[in-house]
Amino acid sequence: MRSQLTRSLMRMYATQSGTTLQPRAITSRTQSENGLSGRRDNHGFYNAVKNRPRILITGSLGQLGPGLARILRERYGRDNVIMSDINRASESVLESGPFLFADVLDMRGLREICVNYEIDWLIHFSALLSAVGESNLPLAMQVNIQGLHNILEVSRMHKMKLFVPSTIGAFGPDSPRNPTPDLTIQRPRTIYGVSKVHAELMGEYYHHKFGLDFRCLRYPGVISTDQPGGGTTDYALKMFHDALTTKVHHCYLKPETRLPMMYIDDLLTATADFLQMPDNQLSMRTYNIGAVDFTPEELAMELRKFVPDLEVVYNPDSRQAIADSWPQRFDFGNAIRDWGYHPLYNMSAICEIMVQSLLPRYKNRGSLIEVKE
């Protein structure tokens, strides 16, 4: 039954893209200079991308997956980066490159994909975020913990490079908050944070015990044009959308709540750069990265340069306690020293590009308010 599903997925992709996606057995696998399969230049699927890594992204329909897939496809070839999720992909995602159904709770299914498509790098984005996880603890434990265990085991068995993102939520009220270093006490108070600390430590264990090339970046709040997805830092995304529509933002955090943030382009470029760094250049397996830190009031003041009469109403809720336990500012000096991390966008640049990016969207919908150029 499962092999029939695999063949159906292959036929579906071939119909959508005009490309024949062929799973291949891994028996008598030869090695090229960089350790990838030396047979890849003999298969049509690899005509333009031989000896490059085959990459699988789980949970790829979230905020980060499509953008990272685009960058990796530019570097390693369109058909060498396979997006996957348990949800149905949009037409634009299906047209952009390979997409498969993959459930991180189904270990056998993951193994079949990794074997059939000779996966070299596995990027694990499947997770329930902080506020969502607190509202559905059993599901969060399944996806964030059991799903991780499956990913680790599949990566170990098939000798893949594994990237798992972590978060500012991996720290807690006992952690130093300004700045927060890479190595310090963590002890988070949310299931999302606990599961991410678990991922960091399990990844390091697999690295030292089995030689797994495990890599992890702790992300701050991510600013993008996507609609908010349930994270505590997502107030910032909502403020941009509200500023360009209703001009009134109801903020669930206090005006003085400082949190680290970064623009999505910086984050995705950093992730792609980090993945391609030689292993011997890394002094640790988990790094902080960041760019700026600000409060809701500071963001509102910067946005008023474009929308002068933006109003912010503060109604702190349960997410305030979560934010109060998180870092206010990240120390990411090790990332700068070890692999040349260098963010480009400060708060002013983030606001400018967000307004420029969202203006056409709301103008086309007829819901745009007047914006100061």
Side-chain angles (χ1 to χ4, degrees), residues 224-228 234-252 299-300 303 306-313 315 354-355 358 361-362 365 367-371:
S224 74
T225 57
D226 290 345
Q227 290 290 341
D234 281 352
Y235 83 86
L237 280 65
K238 188 70 163 59
M239 190 181 295
F240 283 105
H241 290 274
D242 290 344
L244 296 177
T245 52
T246 64
K247 295 195 290 186
V248 178
H249 172 67
H250 293 269
C251 187
Y252 48 76
L299 178 60
L303 263 176
F306 302 91
V307 185
D309 49 352
L310 169 65
E311 179 185 357
V312 179
V313 180
N315 296 304
M354 282 291 290
V355 171
L358 289 173
R361 179 185 303 183
Y362 288 117
R365 294 180 186 175
S367 55
L368 180 67
I369 53 86
E370 184 177 352
V371 175

Side-chain angles (χ1 to χ4, degrees), residues 58-59 104 124-130 132 139-140 143-144 165 192 195-196:
T58 69
V104 297
H124 180 49
F125 277 160
S126 297
L128 263 66
L129 300 181
S130 56
V132 178
L139 182 60
V143 175
N144 293 6
Y192 179 57
S195 67
K196 287 301 185 181

Side-chain angles (χ1 to χ4, degrees), residues 318-329:
S318 60
R319 287 167 283 194
Q320 182 65 52
I322 296 175
D324 287 341
S325 70
W326 284 358
Q328 295 179 326
R329 179 179 289 115

